[in-house]
Amino acid sequence: MIRYLTEEERGLSRDLWEEAFPEDSRSFDDYYFSKKIRENRILALCTDEEGVSAASIESMIQLNPYEIQVGSCICSVDYLVGVATRKNRRHRGYMRRLLLRMMEDMRREGMPFCFLMPAAEAIYRPFGFTYIFDQPRWSLKENGLNRKNAAELIGETARWMNQWLQERYQVFSLRDENYVTMLLEELSSENGVLEALYQDGRMAGGAAHLGDDAQHIGPVHGGSVRGQQFLRGHNHRPLQAVKAARG
């Protein structure tokens, strides 16, 4: 049976998540399953008709909502994560069934597109997904930059990020105080911090540190910091996004 898990059932998907993504730390999983699943949807293929248990969830797609600026419009779209099937249930068409159901629902809801960072792009191309970009990494030259704790500047950080993106892109994920707060909590789960970088008294960038590794970037982003992003439009044709968001 394919259905969306209820708010009370979403935590049961952690068992499959940990099986499929053993590289994730326990602290990150604790963060994700205490924070992110409060606002997302989880479409799952379950064996139980009546109730749901952790063991009965055999395949899933987690849909995390984001507000996206598209030109002068703001759209609510889903970022797909946690796309997984139990090892002993793979190659049975479960994920195909979930993706088709998900796309039918998105079409009915009028959602213009969805996006993800694929583990293997070949899985998604048959469903109309198209490549939009490789996420870049920037190096940073200090040049008199001053560092401040972004946790004390959440509103200013969000405003700066949006301004930076608006000057460069037509499509991007909107940043607000909740976005930055969640980013700070995600980084903290990996022993990381977020610094706001100032030059001549004005915010000029951000540096996200994951443990001992520093990710120096222009606009600081939430979510995974590696990989490619794919995007799919609801019209069953690839939606070209030449100036797509980096976040």
Side-chain angles (χ1 to χ4, degrees), residues 3-56:
R3 69 176 179 86
Y4 292 94
L5 301 183
T6 67
E7 184 176 354
E8 293 74 21
E9 295 168 341
R10 290 176 201 159
L12 298 173
S13 66
R14 180 166 178 165
D15 183 67
L16 175 53
W17 181 290
E18 291 181 348
E19 175 186 314
F21 310 109
E23 68 276 9
D24 288 345
S25 66
R26 178 172 294 276
S27 59
F28 173 82
D29 289 349
D30 288 344
Y31 150 76
Y32 186 89
F33 283 91
S34 64
K35 301 293 184 179
K36 294 297 288 186
I37 65 168
R38 293 179 183 177
E39 60 186 25
N40 78 354
R41 297 184 294 170
I42 301 175
L43 184 62
L45 188 152
C46 308
T47 55
D48 293 345
E49 293 287 340
E50 299 297 329
V52 174
S53 66
S56 72

Side-chain angles (χ1 to χ4, degrees), residues 117-208:
M117 291 186 179
E121 61 185 73
I123 296 173
Y124 301 96
R125 286 194 182 276
F127 296 93
F129 284 83
T130 189
Y131 161 84
I132 51 177
F133 78 99
D134 287 311
Q135 190 159 18
R137 291 173 181 265
W138 288 289
S139 60
L140 178 69
K141 295 181 180 179
E142 295 294 332
N143 292 336
L145 291 174
N146 296 317
R147 297 170 180 266
K148 298 183 180 181
N149 185 352
E152 300 173 359
L153 302 159
I154 291 175
E156 184 178 357
T157 299
R159 288 190 294 274
W160 182 88
M161 294 162 72
N162 280 326
Q163 180 179 348
W164 192 97
L165 290 162
Q166 287 170 350
E167 291 172 354
R168 292 163 175 81
Y169 301 103
Q170 293 178 337
V171 182
F172 59 91
S173 300
L174 284 172
R175 274 62 169 168
D176 57 16
E177 292 192 8
N178 180 64
Y179 184 106
V180 176
T181 298
M182 293 293 282
L183 172 58
L184 288 165
E185 293 189 19
E186 179 177 340
L187 289 169
S188 178
S189 76
E190 298 282 17
N191 195 30
V193 296
L194 177 62
E195 293 180 322
L197 306 177
Y198 282 75
Q199 188 172 47
D200 300 326
R202 300 176 61 184
M203 187 175 291

Side-chain angles (χ1 to χ4, degrees), residues 55-109:
S56 72
I57 301 173
E58 301 203 327
S59 191
M60 68 178 180
I61 304 173
Q62 302 211 9
L63 298 85
N64 292 349
Y66 283 87
E67 295 293 300
I68 306 293
Q69 182 88 40
V70 183
S72 60
C73 300
I74 297 176
C75 306
S76 296
V77 304
D78 286 332
Y79 173 43
L80 311 184
V81 300
V83 181
T85 302
R86 292 199 181 276
K87 293 179 181 179
N88 62 352
R89 292 292 187 269
R90 293 175 184 170
H91 309 295
R92 301 186 182 193
Y94 288 0
M95 188 53 61
R96 176 181 176 80
R97 291 171 59 189
L98 286 176
L99 285 168
L100 290 175
R101 165 66 185 275
M102 178 198 76
M103 290 185 288
E104 289 173 359
D105 291 346
M106 287 179 175
R107 175 185 286 274
R108 184 168 55 252
E109 295 164 3

